[in-house]
Amino acid sequence: MSPAHAWKAELERPTEAFFRAFAHRIVEPEGVRDAVREAIRALIPRVDWAGHLPGMPHGLLGLWAVLRLRPFLDARAFHRLLALQLLAFARTGRARPGQGLLAVGQGSGHWPHVELALRTHRPDLAWGELQGMEPISVQHFQALMPLAGPDMANVGHKAVALHRAGNLFELLEAPRVGGRRLLGWAAWMAASEPEDTYWHRRMARRLEGWKAPVPLGRTQAPEDHRALAEVIDAQGLVATFDAVASVVKAGWGRGDLLAALVQAAAWKLLDARPDMEGKTGWPLVCLATLGAWPGPEDPALWGQAAALVNLYPSEASEDRLRPQPRDPGPDPCGSLREAILDGEPERALDLVVP
């Protein structure tokens, strides 16, 4: 059996030979890229995505994370991490025979039908139409973002998943069949219920009649960013919406809004109880997606993002962890590493906060 056939067999039914098959597969030219492409092509239609709604298993998106880390890892560490992530993806629960995406027929690839599927929450239609589309480009992923962006079901997972699927498509050098699988999966997720546009609708009401898109860049001073961050961090939802609507109408740029929201999100994470740190860190993931978006022309999305940051509880500002000033020495990076290893959070904070 060839390395490619052995690898595909392991993807179909993982055994103790999974890692050996992976090792043999990646020694071939473009072996790493092709091994991941084959996993995506084989596994996306077989996973029971509906069984995880409104959440999603992250075996697929974990591949994006591993590939993004590749430049920072030596070959051995990268291959080990990638193999473990592929195994996690291969072991994700499968749909029952006759159910799931494999049971959906292939459509004609008509793009208006895909848009209709997202608007009317018909995920099978979205998947099926995209399996008939040729060719797929990253612009297709971007075109779905305005339809998925206002939906904050599962605290914004849909837009994050769509953006990362598009980036994974690029990292794998635009695979033909795998690209249809990735775009179809992302559209299926975006079209699935439940839908939650409550924050977007409330923000849009405050911007009624305002048509100007949020400009690129920064036009405001750091103290202005801090003032908005303080409102988002410490006040309620109504004050947060009002403050963001005000600065949008004042002409704040995307860089200004992102700076203020990231600062507020960082404060929330700094103030979080240990059991809330993982959840409180999630807004930073959503903000990274919003910041990397080629648009967004919809200014209500920034108020929606501010509402997500505002959602998590804050401690009183006087109880916040404070930097402990100390001479960083000739090697600030080494000093930061030592502070982290020695469990000195105040010292570490001083080294990273200007």
Side-chain angles (χ1 to χ4, degrees):
M1 184 182 294
S2 71
H5 283 92
W7 173 237
K8 291 174 183 177
E10 287 298 323
L11 291 171
E12 182 69 30
R13 189 183 299 275
T15 70
E16 293 180 355
F18 186 90
F19 293 124
R20 183 167 59 251
F22 172 76
H24 290 162
R25 183 69 183 93
I26 64 174
V27 299
E28 297 184 356
E30 302 293 351
V32 168
R33 184 200 66 182
D34 292 345
V36 179
R37 283 182 169 189
E38 287 156 1
I40 284 171
R41 189 163 61 239
L43 297 177
I44 284 181
R46 289 174 167 79
V47 170
D48 180 21
W49 303 108
H52 293 273
L53 291 175
M56 67 179 72
H58 278 208
L60 174 59
L61 293 185
L63 293 176
W64 168 85
V66 174
L67 292 174
R68 287 295 300 270
L69 287 170
R70 187 175 190 175
F72 307 99
L73 302 171
D74 61 39
R76 181 181 178 86
F78 169 69
H79 291 152
R80 183 188 303 116
L81 185 59
L82 181 59
L84 288 169
Q85 189 61 45
L86 285 165
L87 180 61
F89 187 23
R91 286 183 170 175
T92 304
R94 310 286 180 94
R96 295 179 179 179
Q99 299 181 14
L101 298 180
L102 277 177
V104 180
Q106 179 175 308
S108 61
H110 189 49
W111 186 257
H113 288 172
V114 179
E115 295 177 329
L116 174 67
L118 266 68
R119 294 193 188 97
T120 58
H121 306 295
R122 299 167 66 186
D124 287 355
L125 175 63
W127 166 267
E129 284 295 321
L130 287 170
Q131 299 320 294
M133 181 169 286
E134 184 76 30
I136 298 296
S137 72
V138 71
Q139 284 72 33
H140 288 111
F141 293 87
Q142 294 169 1
L144 291 178
M145 289 294 273
L147 296 170
D151 187 350
M152 287 300 290
N154 198 24
V155 287
H157 268 74
K158 291 180 180 180
V160 171
L162 178 52
H163 178 259
R164 292 190 175 178
N167 195 205
L168 182 56
F169 172 76
E170 293 181 287
L171 291 171
L172 294 174
E173 302 173 16
R176 180 171 169 266
V177 178
R180 291 202 299 268
R181 298 284 197 267
L182 280 168
L183 183 61
W185 169 79
W188 187 96
M189 290 298 307
S192 296
E193 294 184 306
E195 178 191 49
D196 183 359
T197 59
Y198 175 74
W199 287 341
H200 188 269
R201 286 184 280 109
R202 290 194 64 177
M203 187 63 191
R205 282 202 296 269
R206 286 167 169 78
L207 295 170
E208 191 170 356
W210 183 262
K211 302 298 183 183
V214 177
L216 295 172
R218 295 189 185 190
T219 61
Q220 308 301 311
E223 52 266 28
D224 298 320
H225 302 155
R226 183 181 180 90
L228 178 58
E230 287 174 346
V231 173
I232 297 169
D233 177 61
Q235 298 194 32
L237 185 62
V238 172
T240 293
F241 280 137
D242 289 345
V244 176
S246 176
V247 300
V248 166
K249 292 177 180 179
W252 279 36
R254 289 178 59 185
D256 296 311
L257 289 162
L258 194 60
L261 267 62
V262 167
Q263 188 168 11
W267 285 341
K268 291 282 187 178
L269 184 55
L270 195 61
D271 293 341
R273 302 191 313 265
D275 62 310
M276 286 288 289
E277 286 175 350
K279 292 180 179 180
T280 309
W282 173 254
L284 292 169
V285 177
C286 292
L287 290 174
T289 295
L290 193 59
W293 201 321
E297 295 187 356
D298 180 1
L301 292 172
W302 293 99
Q304 174 182 292
L308 176 63
V309 176
N310 179 262
L311 174 68
Y312 295 94
S314 294
E315 302 295 336
S317 59
E318 58 268 20
D319 296 330
R320 181 170 293 153
L321 187 70
R322 303 292 180 184
Q324 184 183 87
R326 194 185 306 171
D327 183 7
D331 181 14
C333 290
S335 298
L336 175 60
R337 182 179 61 251
E338 292 304 314
I340 294 171
L341 293 174
D342 291 340
E344 298 178 331
E346 297 88 352
R347 166 71 175 138
L349 189 60
D350 176 63
L351 290 164
V352 297
V353 176

